[in-house]
Amino acid sequence: MLVVATAGGAAVAGLTRSLPTTIGVAVVAAVTAVTGVMSRRGTEALDEGHRRVLDARDKLLRDRHGRPPRVKDVTDLVALGVHRAAATPHGPVLPAFVPRDRSAEVEAALGTHPFVVIVGESTAGKSRLALEAVRARLPEHRFLLPDPDDHTSILAARRAAAGLGPCVVWLDDLERYLGAGGLTSHVLRQIGVDNPEAVVVATIRTKARERYAGPDDATGPEDRRPDRGVFDLAEEIRIDRRWSPAEIERARSSADPRIVVALAQADRFGIAEHLAAGPRLLARATNAWDPEGGHTRGAALVAAAIDARRAGWHGPLPEALLERLHEHHLAARGGALLRPEPWEAALTWATTPVFAVSSLLVPDEADPRSHRVFDYLVDAAEAGADPLPDTVWTLLLDEADAATSLDIGWEAGLRQREDIAYQAFRTALDGGVLVAAVALAYVVARTGVRRETRQAADLLRATIAAAPDDVDPAELLELKSALSWWTGASGDAEEALGTAREIWHEARRAYGDDHEASLEAGLSVARWTGHTGDGAEAFAIASRILDQAVRRLGPAHTTTLNGRFEQAVWAGHDGDADRRLRLWRELDSDVTGLLGEYDPLTNDVRWNLAGATIRSGDADAGIRLLESVVAGRKVIYGSEHPQTLAGRLQLAGETGVAGRPAEALAEAEHLVREGTWVLGDDHEITLYARYQVALWIARTGDPGRAESLFAGLLTDMIHHLGPDHPATGDLREQLRRSPDFTVDYPLPASW
């Protein structure tokens, strides 16, 4: 069974790009943790009008009449997220606004898009730019500000927006509103349905945005975390921290002495960055480690708060937890030898505003005994930072609620701490966060071995069965999508297809036939239709979806590219290999130009192009493409990830088939050692590498030794994979043909 470049996971929406390596887990506990928790009902028996009044009072900004204010009446921009500038004796808190190069684009977007997100580095001026655009374009709109320390307050904003007329929902630091119980793509869509005149405006730091999408966090077939769907609905506009020559020239007309001083540093820092005193605060935190300065404990407090943010704790940090977290920093730097100041003195130092701008730790308005770290410090710390120690993860998870545990799990996965990710996702699921099951399922199915994918599917079935009646429809679709994927990956394409059809029907009913969620669901139906053996119908469905996506979303949209992917997968159903090869070549060229060399979709497309090229008879060109695929996977996933090892295994096989069995043998022997070390001796990749070792030994002139190796491997395959596994059947066929072994070889499924 020669397996070459079947349909990869590029077109599947979900999670697994966030969890790049392997971890041993106990599945039974994960499954049983679902029961009894998901059935709780959290809603109270209040009528909608009363609920809206209470929510507006407790969770939304209101004027003295108890109503959301108009945009033109909101004047305290610092309270809305704009960084304070250094004070002047008689001047305003903030300098006059200097229009940015993207200001006109943001104002135009507010008139045409229901969801606008400004992306940029900390202190790039995102909040000021966005607010000034809102004030200029939408002054008469009602201004809805959900409580940033309670991301569930977005639901209050949704209810308040219904029937309110023209309004703006303001979400500064968008990541604080995402996650379980907060903003989802479904909530966003519902805001627009309930009030077509509502505009949601948000800001997000570049580092935080990268956590939700992009090639660097990609690690598997399901390409996104559940709340990433929010960004699919956004009009994103990015601004630079460093100001352009045109922006600097506009700033020169300002007489504000703070801008004059900032202009003198424009070759090193952005103007907004300098006004917010980010570099000076960073220097203050760094210099505090000098024992002569008397603030070493304060420095440790700041470092601990930075650690918590890096680990996914986005909310205010309680002082009691901060006190426990900072101890390891002191110990690592020398402990008592640093002559640390008393706790209260350290806290006072860290929370005292300096340069009349901000403090290193900012007390929370709702709870002054909890603190946030100045976000500029977090971004600066990421560059070259050491891995977070176990102490940090453990202390945070001991105190985290279910929603925060989910955030910690994502961060742990991104930082290749899958043991922590597994623990965090289980905690979140046990606490009632349903979407954590999608993440946990990937961890369970981490290897692609069929028994693990079955266990992942079982976990998702249990979660869906125990879900409450009032579950967010978007979350339920996410769970069902993951179930469809892992059911198919475990070998049951018929059940996967049935689930996919159900999802497609529900998505179209909820969002309409042409919505991207519906189109993606249709592509899933195409995929599993093909895997059940009806390639012609799969091609037809994929082609129809592709036509809709081009009309609705445009040629460069991810859903359109996914449609082209599925169309190319099934294009050869009628034997037209030339058409399939042409489609893969065109798609490879386009995705490389759009997404870059190291995007997972680019890699999956090139992998399929390599297979199509080999089948066309051009083995040398196909091998060169496979070499490019392996090089890309090392960058995207890491050298030890199963995707990378599987690519190397295929490259070894094709090298041997092309007439270079000695090279193939050397690589297969390497893969046996690496697979045993990284994945275990029972993993498919390790077993298939042993298969190739025996095969290439036979082809290099020692069929007797090869037969002995094949016989020993058969026993292990029956034990680990089962007597009916396709690879076990291939191996029996090889032994039956001995010593005339064929050059066919098995590969792991492309899940």
Side-chain angles (χ1 to χ4, degrees), residues 22-23 30 32 45 90 92 113 118 155 166 192 206 215 224 260 313 336 346 362 458 461 481 548 566 597 614 677 702:
T22 60
I23 170 182
T32 56
H90 306 291
H113 295 279
I118 311 302
L155 303 180
T206 302
R224 50 195 179 183
V260 173
W313 189 295
V362 182
D458 289 342
R461 286 191 195 95
S481 295
Q548 289 176 268
E566 287 300 325
E597 188 76 17
I614 290 168
W677 173 256
D702 195 346

Side-chain angles (χ1 to χ4, degrees), residues 408-438:
I408 292 173
W410 289 117
E411 287 295 334
L414 288 169
R415 297 177 189 279
Q416 301 189 17
R417 288 302 310 268
E418 287 73 26
D419 53 338
I420 300 297
Y422 177 72
Q423 180 185 349
F425 291 144
R426 280 195 56 191
T427 300
L429 184 57
D430 189 50
V433 178
L434 271 68
V435 292
V438 180

Side-chain angles (χ1 to χ4, degrees), residues 349-404:
W349 173 83
T351 57
T352 299
V354 293
F355 314 116
V357 176
S358 179
S359 51
L360 296 164
L361 297 182
V362 182
D364 183 60
E365 290 185 4
D367 179 10
R369 302 294 291 179
S370 295
H371 308 276
R372 298 181 186 275
V373 65
F374 189 67
D375 55 15
Y376 185 91
L377 306 179
V378 180
D379 288 351
E382 282 290 2
D386 292 330
L388 293 167
D390 288 349
T391 301
V392 170
W393 298 112
T394 301
L395 287 173
L396 291 176
L397 282 176
D398 284 346
E399 298 294 329
D401 60 18
T404 302

Side-chain angles (χ1 to χ4, degrees), residues 535-586:
E537 179 64 12
F539 180 78
I541 294 172
S543 298
R544 289 199 302 270
I545 296 293
L546 175 58
D547 288 343
Q548 289 176 268
V550 171
R551 291 196 308 270
R552 171 70 174 81
L553 304 172
H557 194 277
T558 302
T559 300
T560 304
L561 298 177
N562 288 341
R564 292 177 62 186
F565 187 102
E566 287 300 325
Q567 186 189 54
V569 167
W570 307 111
H573 69 91
D574 57 356
D576 191 346
D578 290 341
R579 177 175 60 175
R580 176 165 52 190
L581 182 60
R582 173 177 54 80
L583 290 176
W584 283 125
R585 283 175 174 163
E586 292 171 353

Side-chain angles (χ1 to χ4, degrees), residues 12-15 17-18 115 174 178-179 183-185 188-189 209-215 217 222-234 236 410 478 516 520 557-559 562 595 599:
V12 181
L15 150 78
R17 290 185 177 179
S18 300
F115 181 37
L174 176 60
L178 299 173
L183 185 65
T184 66
S185 56
L188 264 178
R189 294 185 188 104
R209 177 65 181 92
E210 290 172 355
R211 292 295 188 253
Y212 296 89
D217 68 353
E222 295 180 309
D223 66 358
R224 50 195 179 183
R225 49 189 287 177
D227 44 10
R228 185 205 177 281
V230 167
F231 294 95
D232 291 340
L233 306 178
E236 296 187 52
W410 289 117
E478 192 70 40
E516 61 191 89
E520 287 285 0
H557 194 277
T558 302
T559 300
N562 288 341
L595 306 176
D599 184 89

Side-chain angles (χ1 to χ4, degrees), residues 49 134 181 193 231 261 274 287 294 331 371 375-376 385 402 475 520 522 601 603 615 669 696 708 722 738:
V134 168
V193 170
F231 294 95
V261 172
H274 189 277
N287 295 337
H371 308 276
D375 55 15
Y376 185 91
E475 291 187 11
E520 287 285 0
L601 179 56
N603 192 270
R615 287 195 294 274
E669 289 174 333
W696 305 128
S708 176
S738 178

Side-chain angles (χ1 to χ4, degrees), residues 107-130:
E107 290 185 30
L110 294 175
T112 57
H113 295 279
F115 181 37
V116 179
V117 180
I118 311 302
V119 184
E121 295 178 63
S122 175
T123 68
K126 305 180 296 298
S127 303
R128 185 74 186 275
L129 167 61

Side-chain angles (χ1 to χ4, degrees), residues 366-710:
D367 179 10
R369 302 294 291 179
S370 295
H371 308 276
R372 298 181 186 275
V373 65
F374 189 67
D375 55 15
Y376 185 91
L377 306 179
V378 180
D379 288 351
E382 282 290 2
D386 292 330
L388 293 167
D390 288 349
T391 301
V392 170
W393 298 112
T394 301
L395 287 173
L396 291 176
L397 282 176
D398 284 346
E399 298 294 329
D401 60 18
T404 302
S405 295
L406 183 65
D407 290 337
I408 292 173
W410 289 117
E411 287 295 334
L414 288 169
R415 297 177 189 279
Q416 301 189 17
R417 288 302 310 268
E418 287 73 26
D419 53 338
I420 300 297
Y422 177 72
Q423 180 185 349
F425 291 144
R426 280 195 56 191
T427 300
L429 184 57
D430 189 50
V433 178
L434 271 68
V435 292
V438 180
L440 190 58
Y442 170 71
V443 179
V444 172
R446 69 208 181 278
T447 64
V449 176
R450 192 160 291 181
R451 61 177 176 270
E452 275 79 17
T453 55
R454 289 195 187 102
Q455 290 165 340
D458 289 342
L459 167 65
L460 290 159
R461 286 191 195 95
T463 305
I464 293 168
D469 295 337
D470 56 357
V471 62
D472 183 337
E475 291 187 11
L476 193 58
L477 284 177
E478 192 70 40
L479 290 163
K480 289 181 178 179
S481 295
L483 174 60
S484 176
W485 176 260
W486 292 120
T487 301
S490 66
D492 193 341
E494 290 286 354
E495 182 180 343
L497 176 58
T499 306
R501 284 173 173 160
E502 179 183 341
I503 296 166
W504 196 15
H505 172 72
E506 292 178 4
R508 286 182 292 176
R509 183 177 60 186
Y511 308 127
D513 290 350
D514 288 340
H515 191 277
E516 61 191 89
S518 303
L519 299 177
E520 287 285 0
L523 291 176
S524 181
V525 171
R527 178 180 313 116
W528 297 118
T529 297
H531 280 293
T532 58
D534 194 346
E537 179 64 12
F539 180 78
I541 294 172
S543 298
R544 289 199 302 270
I545 296 293
L546 175 58
D547 288 343
Q548 289 176 268
V550 171
R551 291 196 308 270
R552 171 70 174 81
L553 304 172
H557 194 277
T558 302
T559 300
T560 304
L561 298 177
N562 288 341
R564 292 177 62 186
F565 187 102
E566 287 300 325
Q567 186 189 54
V569 167
W570 307 111
H573 69 91
D574 57 356
D576 191 346
D578 290 341
R579 177 175 60 175
R580 176 165 52 190
L581 182 60
R582 173 177 54 80
L583 290 176
W584 283 125
R585 283 175 174 163
E586 292 171 353
L587 186 54
D588 178 69
S589 175
D590 290 345
V591 296
T592 302
L594 287 168
L595 306 176
E597 188 76 17
Y598 299 118
D599 184 89
L601 179 56
T602 304
N603 192 270
D604 279 354
V605 168
R606 188 158 302 166
W607 176 49
N608 281 273
L609 173 59
T613 301
I614 290 168
R615 287 195 294 274
S616 75
D618 193 346
D620 289 341
I623 288 173
R624 287 193 297 272
L625 287 166
L626 278 176
E627 289 171 343
S628 173
V629 169
V630 171
R633 290 183 181 183
K634 288 179 179 179
V635 173
I636 297 167
Y637 308 126
S639 297
E640 295 182 344
H641 191 275
Q643 290 271 46
T644 305
L645 298 178
R648 289 175 56 192
L649 187 63
Q650 184 175 355
L651 180 58
E654 290 306 319
T655 301
V657 171
R660 307 201 302 270
E663 293 178 40
L665 174 60
E667 178 66 354
E669 289 174 333
H670 282 303
L671 284 165
V672 170
R673 291 191 292 270
E674 292 180 49
T676 301
W677 173 256
V678 175
L679 304 173
D681 58 7
D682 61 342
H683 193 278
E684 283 182 346
I685 288 177
T686 307
L687 295 171
Y688 293 177
R690 287 175 58 190
Y691 189 114
Q692 285 204 35
V693 166
L695 179 60
W696 305 128
I697 283 176
R699 305 301 290 186
T700 53
D702 195 346
R705 183 181 172 213
E707 183 173 6
S708 176
L709 291 173
F710 274 135

